[in-house]
C-alpha cells in the first residue's frame, strides 16, 4: 500500500512538473478525466493487490496456524513470495499504463505515449521497492522455513536483489531522462530550456531520494546477516562453539549462513569428541594425538608411576548394592584424578578397584620425583578424610619404561609398560601395612627436593614379589 501510494504521487509529480505535454485542447478537462480514471483504477488495483498477496501468502498463513514445519512446496512458495508479489505489482502497473495510454489516445497519440511511459516508469520503481520491502518484511518467516528444511534451496541470488536496487535507484531516473531527451528530439516544440532544467532537477532529486532509500534497504539486507556471522565467529574464537546464526534467505548469504552453522556443528562435535577423548586417555595424550596423529609403537622415557589399589574390594562388592559401589568408586576416583592432575600427572587407566597414574609421558615433567612423591602423600591424606569408607594402598616408583600406543590399528590405547609399573603395583601390597598407607621406592628421595624428602624416611630393603634383588622402601614420617 505504501509503495503504490508512493507510485501514484510519483506519477502526479512527473505529469505536472516533468512531462513536456503536447498542446491539447481543453487540457484541464483531460487532466480531470485522468484523475477520475485514476480514482477508479486505484481502488480496483488495491483490491487486486490484496487478493493476489493473500493468495501468495496463504501457504505461509496456513503453515503458521498449523505450527508444523512447511513441506517442500510450502517452503518454495514462501521463499518466492517477494519476487511473485513484485511481479503482480508490476503487472498491475503495466495494465494501468496500457489503460491510461488507451484512454489518452482518444485525445492525442503523443500524450498517450507519454502518459503510458510515465505510469510504466512509476510501476517499475514501485515493483522494485515492493520486492525489497516484501523480502525484508518476510525475513522472519523465510528464516523459519529455511531452518525447518534439511536442504537449503537454490532459487534466488544476490544478483536479483542487486537488479531490484538498480531498478529502483537508477533505472527509473535513467529511463526518465532518456524519455525527456527523446521527446525533446522528436517534438522540440513541446520542450523548452526551462522544462529541461525542471526535468533534470526532478529526476536528480528522485535519484537521490529513491536511490538512497533503495541502497539503504539493500545494504541493511546484506549487512545484517553478515554482522550476525561476524558476531558468531567472535564467539567461536572465544571457544564458545554452541552458536548458530539464523538463515535469513536463500541467496548466497543464506548459503553462507547455512555453511557456517554446519561448520559450527562440526566444531561442536569435534570439541565434544576431543573432550571425551581427553577424559579417556588424558588431556596430554589427546593433545599430542590431535597435533601429530596416532601411530602404534612407543619410546623409552623416564617416568614416575603411582599405583593405588583399594583394600578389601571383594568384600565391598559383596556387602553393598552395585549402585552404591559405583557411587563410592566414583567418589574415590574423583579424589585420585584431582590430586594427580594438580601435581602434573595424569591417570592412565582404571582397573576396576585400582588406578594407574603416570608422570613424564607423553611429555616431560620438571622435578618429576618431587611431584609424584607429593601426590602420593597428599592422596593418602585426602582419601582418608574424604572417602573414609574405603582404604587404599598407594605405591610409587620411577624409572625407564616404554610409553606409546599398544594394540591394533582399529583399537589401541596409550599406556606405559616397564619395570616401574610392576614395582609400583607390588609396592601397594606393602603400602597396605605402611604408615599413611603409602610406600615408595627409596631411590626417589635422592631425586626429590629437600622439602618433600623431609616427609619421608627409608626403612628396610625388601625383595618384592616377582622381582630379583631388594628395593629400599620409603614410608611417610607423619
Amino acid at each position: 500500500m505504501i509503495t503504490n501510494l508512493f507510485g501514484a504521487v510519483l506519477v502526479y509529480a512527473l505529469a505536472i512538473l516533468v512531462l513536456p505535454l503536447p498542446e491539447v485542447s481543453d487540457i484541464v478537462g483531460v487532466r480531470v478525466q485522468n484523475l477520475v480514471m485514476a480514482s477508479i483504477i486505484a481502488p480496483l488495483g488495491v483490491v487486486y493487490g490484496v487478493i493476489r498477496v493473500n493468495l501468495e501468502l496463504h501457504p505461509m498463513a496456513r503453515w503458521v496456524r498449523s505450527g508444523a514445519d512447511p513441506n517442500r512446496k510450502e517452503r518454495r512458495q514462501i521463499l518466492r513470495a517477494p519476487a511473485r508479489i513484485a511481479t503482480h505489482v508490476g503487472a498491475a502497473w503495466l495494465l494501468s499504463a496500457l489503460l491510461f495510454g488507451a484512454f489518452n489516445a482518444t485525445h492525442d497519440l503523443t500524450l498517450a505515449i507519454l502518459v503510458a511511459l510515465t505510469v510504466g516508469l512509476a510501476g517499475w520503481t514501485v515493483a522494485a521497492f515492493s520486492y525489497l520491502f516484501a523480502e525484508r518484511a518476510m525475513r522472519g518467516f523465510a528464516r523459519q522455513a529455511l531452518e525447518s528444511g534439511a536442504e537449503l534451496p537454490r532459487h534466488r541470488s544476490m544478483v536479483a536483489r542487486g537488479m531490484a536496487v538498480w531498478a529502483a535507484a537508477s533505472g527509473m531516473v535513467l529511463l526518465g531522462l532518456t524519455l525527456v531527451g527523446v521527446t525533446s528530439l522528436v517534438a522540440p516544440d513541446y520542450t523548452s530550456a526551462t522544462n529541461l532544467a525542471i526535468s533534470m532537477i526532478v529526476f536528480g532529486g528522485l535519484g537521490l531520494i529513491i536511490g538512497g532509500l533503495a541502497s539503504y534497504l539493500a545494504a541493511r539486507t546484506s549487512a545484517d546477516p553478515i554482522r550476525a556471522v561476524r558476531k558468531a565467529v567472535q564467539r567461536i574464537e572465544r571457544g564458545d562453539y554452541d552458536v548458530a546464526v539464523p538463515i535469513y534467505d536463500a541467496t548466497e548469504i543464506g548459503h553462507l549462513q547455512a555453511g557456517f552453522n554446519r561448520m559450527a556443528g562440526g566444531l561442536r562435535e569435534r570439541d565434544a569428541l576431543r573432550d571425551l577423548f581427553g577424559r579417556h586417555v588424558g588431556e596430554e595424550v589427546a593433545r599430542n594425538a590431535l597435533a601429530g596423529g596416532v601411530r602404534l609403537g612407543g619410546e623409552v622415557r623416564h617416568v614416575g608411576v603411582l599405583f593405588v589399589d583399594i583394600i578389601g574390594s571383594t568384600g565391598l562388592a559383596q556387602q553393598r548394592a552395585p549402585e552404591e559401589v559405583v557411587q563410592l568408586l566414583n567418589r574415590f576416583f574423583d579424589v585420585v584424578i584431582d590430586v594427580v592432575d594438580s601435581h602434573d600427572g595424569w591417570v592412565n587407566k582404571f582397573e576396576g578397584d585400582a588406578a594407574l597414574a603416570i608422570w613424564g609421558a607423553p611429555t616431560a615433567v620438571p622435578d618429576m620425583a618431587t611431584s609424584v612423591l607429593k601426590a602420593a602423600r597428599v592422596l593418602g591424606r585426602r582419601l582418608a578424610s574424604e572417602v573414609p569408607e574405603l582404604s587404599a594402598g598407594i605405591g610409587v616408583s620411577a624409572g625407564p619404561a616404554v610409553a606409546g600406543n599398544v594394540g591394533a590399528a582399529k583399537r589401541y590405547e596409550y599406556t606405559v609398560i616397564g619395570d616401574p609399573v610392576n614395582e609400583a603395583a607390588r609396592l601397594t601390597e606393602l603400602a597396605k601395612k605402611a604408615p599413611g598407607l603409602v610406600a615408595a621406592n627409596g631411590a626417589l628421595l635422592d631425586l626429590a627436593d629437600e622439602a618433600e624428602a623431609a616427609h619421608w624416611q627409608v626403612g628396610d630393603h625388601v625383595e618384592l614379589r616377582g622381582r630379583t634383588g631388594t628395593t629400599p622402601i620409603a614410608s611417610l614420617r607423619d
Side-chain angles (χ1 to χ4, degrees):
M1 294 294 293
I2 294 175
T3 54
N4 281 278
L5 178 61
F6 167 76
V9 173
L10 181 61
V11 170
Y12 184 78
L14 293 176
I16 297 299
L17 300 176
V18 177
L19 281 184
L21 298 177
E23 295 293 336
V24 178
S25 59
D26 192 17
I27 186 63
V28 176
V30 172
R31 288 179 175 176
V32 171
Q33 291 173 14
N34 275 276
L35 286 175
V36 172
M37 187 174 178
S39 66
I40 296 173
I41 292 178
L44 293 176
V46 170
V47 173
Y48 168 79
V50 170
I51 293 174
R52 289 306 311 178
V53 169
N54 273 278
L55 290 175
E56 290 297 332
L57 301 184
H58 177 69
M60 184 177 73
R62 182 177 55 192
W63 159 53
V64 171
R65 292 193 196 101
S66 66
D69 290 338
N71 55 40
R72 186 179 182 85
K73 180 179 179 181
E74 289 172 337
R75 291 174 66 210
R76 187 167 58 250
Q77 289 174 325
I78 292 168
L79 296 174
R80 290 179 177 176
R84 291 179 64 86
I85 289 174
T87 300
H88 291 306
V89 170
W93 276 86
L94 176 60
L95 178 61
S96 299
L98 296 176
L99 291 175
F100 274 100
F103 173 75
N104 285 279
T106 60
H107 300 284
D108 186 271
L109 182 59
T110 303
L111 176 64
I113 293 174
L114 291 175
V115 171
L117 289 176
T118 302
V119 176
L121 280 177
W124 173 299
T125 304
V126 170
F129 269 108
S130 296
Y131 176 85
L132 294 174
F133 279 125
E135 184 182 52
R136 187 166 183 83
M138 295 180 61
R139 174 178 290 176
F141 300 104
R143 180 176 68 246
Q144 295 179 49
L146 291 169
E147 290 176 346
S148 65
E151 181 182 357
L152 194 63
R154 288 183 177 271
H155 76 274
R156 278 199 286 167
S157 170
M158 292 292 293
V159 175
R161 184 180 298 160
M163 292 305 298
V165 174
W166 175 86
S170 302
M172 185 274 295
V173 174
L174 294 175
L175 287 176
L177 290 174
T178 302
L179 174 61
V180 172
V182 171
T183 304
S184 299
L185 291 175
V186 174
D189 296 337
Y190 299 162
T191 60
S192 64
T194 302
N195 288 337
L196 289 176
I198 293 174
S199 298
M200 296 193 64
I201 292 173
V202 171
F203 277 114
L206 290 174
L208 289 174
I209 297 172
I210 297 175
L213 179 59
S215 299
Y216 173 77
L217 288 175
R220 284 293 304 271
T221 302
S222 300
D224 289 346
I226 294 175
R227 186 181 298 111
V229 172
R230 178 177 59 82
K231 292 181 179 179
V233 168
Q234 291 174 344
R235 290 179 58 182
I236 286 181
E237 289 176 346
R238 294 193 297 267
D240 180 9
Y241 300 115
D242 190 17
V243 59
V245 295
I247 302 174
Y248 283 11
D249 52 41
T251 64
E252 289 83 353
I253 291 182
H255 285 270
L256 172 65
Q257 293 171 314
F260 176 87
N261 288 339
R262 289 193 296 270
M263 180 197 71
L267 290 174
R268 283 195 301 272
E269 182 179 358
R270 180 181 177 183
D271 187 62
L273 288 174
R274 182 169 57 185
D275 178 66
L276 185 62
F277 185 32
R279 292 174 187 269
H280 277 276
V281 302
E283 292 185 5
E284 287 296 331
V285 175
R287 191 177 296 112
N288 287 349
L290 291 172
V294 177
R295 62 180 183 274
L296 295 177
E299 57 181 342
V300 177
R301 301 188 68 93
H302 190 79
V303 299
V305 180
L306 183 151
F307 200 91
V308 54
D309 184 29
I310 295 176
I311 301 172
S313 57
T314 303
L316 177 69
Q318 293 177 343
Q319 298 168 5
R320 298 174 182 261
E323 296 82 359
E324 187 178 354
V325 172
V326 170
Q327 292 177 358
L328 192 57
L329 288 176
N330 287 340
R331 286 173 52 202
F332 173 82
F333 288 128
D334 184 62
V335 175
V336 173
I337 293 172
D338 184 53
V339 171
V340 171
D341 285 348
S342 62
H343 290 83
D344 301 323
W346 64 281
V347 177
N348 176 245
K349 65 180 63 178
F350 300 104
E351 298 178 352
D353 58 351
L356 173 66
I358 303 296
W359 280 257
T363 57
V365 176
D367 199 7
M368 182 180 65
T370 299
S371 296
V372 66
L373 286 172
K374 185 176 181 181
R377 179 169 56 83
V378 173
L379 179 60
R381 185 175 66 249
R382 285 191 56 181
L383 287 176
S385 62
E386 298 178 28
V387 195
E389 301 94 328
L390 296 178
S391 297
I394 302 171
V396 179
S397 181
V402 177
N405 296 302
V406 177
K410 293 184 178 180
R411 180 69 174 88
Y412 49 81
E413 68 173 352
Y414 186 91
T415 190
V416 175
I417 300 174
D419 185 62
V421 179
N422 298 329
E423 185 178 62
R426 298 293 180 262
L427 286 170
T428 58
E429 299 176 5
L430 296 179
K432 295 174 182 179
K433 299 179 181 179
L437 300 178
V438 179
N441 187 321
L444 281 172
L445 272 61
D446 298 330
L447 303 175
D449 63 28
E450 294 182 1
E452 181 59 35
H455 294 282
W456 299 78
Q457 60 183 356
V458 177
D460 299 334
H461 287 58
V462 177
E463 182 176 341
L464 299 175
R465 180 170 57 87
R467 293 172 54 83
T468 59
T470 59
T471 302
I473 306 300
S475 58
L476 294 173
R477 294 180 183 275
D478 44 12

